Amino acid sequence: MRCFRTLSLMTLLATSTGAALATEPVAPVSFEDAGRLMELELRLAGGLTAQEVAVTQVFTRFRGVVVDEGARLAGGLPVRRALAVNDLGGGRVRVSLAPVPAGQALPDGVYAQFLEIEAQPRALTMEPFMVLHPIYLEVVGGVARRLDMPTYSARVEPTVRGLDKLGRAVQVQPGSRGAAALAPIGDALDVQVERGDAFAVPGDERNEN
């Protein structure tokens, strides 16, 4: 059995712009996603075909509540759902990012999902791989629309006033930081990255970083 490789989103984005390092695995699939459209077009390379690609949509937050790991249902709906991969020809495929099948609707609220983009190439020269891609949504009046990550973060974890390491007032998200402090090592969380200001200031001899 061939090894199954999971590629990071950053690796895939680097591949799509031609900026991947020589030491990084190169995925035979690329895409550009501005986080606005309700569909995603994938470009296949290296002889990969639409029949060798599978896309699964997985709920991670349902109406603002984190979905338990391993849960099969969220709000009465399947947590995992296989999406149709529509072959456009010319090495292009398209998948719909509608959060539920046609004819169903979600209650108003904020949702997060990720796509598992998998491939099992028939060619022995290509390794099987999986790419994980986050999708953020808000449903208003039964209509779903895409959110970018900052907007999603603001919806699920409103900021409050706090202090940075130099005692200056900044906007922080204490809930995310508290969750990060309690999470097992290796768990990934949507957290606000701290500002890139240097800890030390001119004349400060503590030499802390």
Side-chain angles (χ1 to χ4, degrees):
M1 180 178 295
R2 290 181 288 169
C3 176
F4 192 83
R5 185 191 297 272
T6 300
L7 302 180
S8 69
L9 173 60
M10 293 306 295
T11 297
L12 182 61
L13 293 180
T15 303
S16 67
T17 59
L21 299 176
T23 56
E24 290 286 345
V26 177
V29 59
S30 61
F31 61 85
E32 295 178 2
D33 184 14
R36 294 189 298 271
L37 301 179
M38 294 301 294
E39 59 184 21
L40 187 63
E41 185 173 306
L42 309 177
R43 294 179 292 278
L44 311 181
L48 191 67
T49 67
Q51 292 71 34
E52 297 168 320
V53 176
V55 180
T56 303
Q57 199 174 53
V58 185
F59 276 109
T60 56
R61 189 179 291 264
F62 194 95
R63 297 193 74 185
V65 178
V66 174
V67 177
D68 291 337
E69 184 177 355
R72 298 181 61 185
L73 296 175
L77 295 171
V79 170
R80 301 176 60 88
R81 181 170 68 98
L83 301 183
V85 177
N86 300 307
D87 190 354
L88 303 179
R92 297 180 302 128
V93 300
R94 182 176 295 159
V95 294
S96 169
L97 301 181
V100 290
Q104 297 186 22
L106 289 173
D108 288 1
V110 178
Y111 298 82
Q113 298 178 319
F114 65 82
L115 300 183
E116 291 180 351
I117 304 170
E118 305 178 50
Q120 291 282 351
R122 297 187 182 95
L124 296 178
T125 55
M126 299 173 64
E127 292 186 8
F129 72 91
M130 176 192 295
V131 175
L132 304 180
H133 182 57
I135 302 292
Y136 306 112
L137 303 160
E138 183 175 35
V139 178
V140 178
V143 178
R145 68 182 183 93
R146 295 282 299 279
L147 299 177
D148 58 21
M149 189 174 196
T151 304
Y152 164 79
S153 182
R155 294 281 198 278
V156 302
E157 189 65 62
T159 58
V160 297
R161 297 289 287 180
L163 299 177
D164 66 9
K165 292 178 180 178
L166 298 178
R168 296 173 299 190
V170 293
Q171 296 287 341
V172 298
Q173 294 173 303
S176 290
R177 291 186 176 187
L182 297 175
I185 295 176
D187 279 9
L189 293 166
D190 290 337
V191 296
Q192 176 176 329
V193 177
E194 188 169 352
R195 294 160 47 126
D197 302 332
F199 183 89
V201 296
D204 187 345
E205 299 178 355
R206 292 174 295 174
N207 194 31
E208 297 180 86
N209 49 45

